[in-house]
Amino acid sequence: MLDISLPYKPVVMLRPDLSDLPGWTLPEGYTPVPWEPGMERGWCGIERACGEFSTIDAALERFGWEFLPFPDLLRQRMWFALSPDGEPVATVTFWTGRHMGGSMSRIHWVATHPDHQRRGVARGLLAEVLRRGAALAEGSVYLTSQTWSWPAIRLYKEAGFLPVYDRPACWEGDWEPEVAWALIEEKLLGSAF
């Protein structure tokens, strides 16, 4: 869940390469599966439950313009973790973005349904997607996040992502990385998990 008690500040993280990836796996009973047509409702449900969208319709609209024009890429790059009962409960996408200048690999829209958080589902799915992404691309991979997602940032740091302080080439809007990382580090130091 998002921690809206903090001021909202965006951050960018970079993994310099796709070597030496973590060997994490999904917990027993959870299965990684690629996107197939119709799974957008699962994505929307997960993102809505995590507080990213106020309605399923808003999530569907975002999915429609950001992902649906690229069904072949979705089949390769968007992954879900299915729960033991076969429901999509987590998602990670190995996409591309332009925040850093030219086109670059990006981890995008990482989310785990609150009912399945703190079980290692996001950890296992992120590692799975990074391994699969390494077969699709070379070089660095980045992600964008925000102070409100500081628990996820712990995971990203453990997966080898590093804070970016220099303003990315194509970044629009607020950019105060020193403030953002100070808030995040304070939360990480004070948390018990």
Side-chain angles (χ1 to χ4, degrees), residues 130-177:
L130 285 170
R131 286 190 293 272
R132 290 179 181 276
L136 298 170
E138 293 180 6
S140 302
V141 61
Y142 80 99
L143 60 83
T144 61
S145 193
Q146 65 279 331
T147 49
W148 290 359
S149 294
W150 65 266
I153 289 171
R154 175 191 311 273
L155 169 63
Y156 305 146
K157 288 178 82 170
E158 291 172 357
F161 285 86
L162 305 170
V164 171
Y165 285 89
D166 293 336
R167 186 182 191 95
C170 295
W171 191 263
E172 296 180 12
D174 184 30
W175 186 252
E176 296 179 292

Side-chain angles (χ1 to χ4, degrees), residues 105-145:
S105 296
R106 175 184 190 186
I107 293 296
H108 199 30
W109 290 102
V110 177
T112 303
H113 192 285
D115 293 346
H116 295 266
Q117 290 177 359
R118 301 188 68 165
R119 297 181 189 182
V121 178
R123 176 180 301 276
L125 188 60
L126 177 62
E128 177 79 21
V129 170
L130 285 170
R131 286 190 293 272
R132 290 179 181 276
L136 298 170
E138 293 180 6
S140 302
V141 61
Y142 80 99
L143 60 83
T144 61
S145 193

Side-chain angles (χ1 to χ4, degrees), residues 9-11 147 176-185:
K9 298 286 180 192
V11 296
T147 49
E176 296 179 292
E178 290 82 6
V179 173
W181 285 107
L183 291 166
I184 290 165
E185 292 299 333

Side-chain angles (χ1 to χ4, degrees), residues 77-99:
R77 295 174 175 261
M78 180 176 280
W79 286 81
F80 293 88
L82 299 184
S83 68
D85 64 3
E87 293 297 315
V89 297
T91 183
V92 177
T93 304
F94 190 86
W95 211 235
T96 58
R98 297 196 169 276
H99 292 93

Side-chain angles (χ1 to χ4, degrees), residues 26-83:
L26 284 166
E28 186 174 337
Y30 291 85
T31 307
V33 297
W35 176 87
E36 288 294 332
M39 292 186 80
E40 50 273 12
R41 285 234 171 242
W43 184 89
C44 293
I46 294 164
E47 296 293 347
R48 167 66 183 96
C50 291
E52 291 289 344
F53 297 96
S54 59
T55 66
I56 293 293
D57 286 342
L60 278 169
E61 180 181 338
R62 177 66 178 258
F63 193 97
W65 65 258
E66 187 163 2
F67 294 121
L68 278 183
F70 312 101
D72 292 336
L73 288 176
L74 277 174
R75 286 183 180 97
Q76 292 180 333
R77 295 174 175 261
M78 180 176 280
W79 286 81
F80 293 88
L82 299 184
S83 68

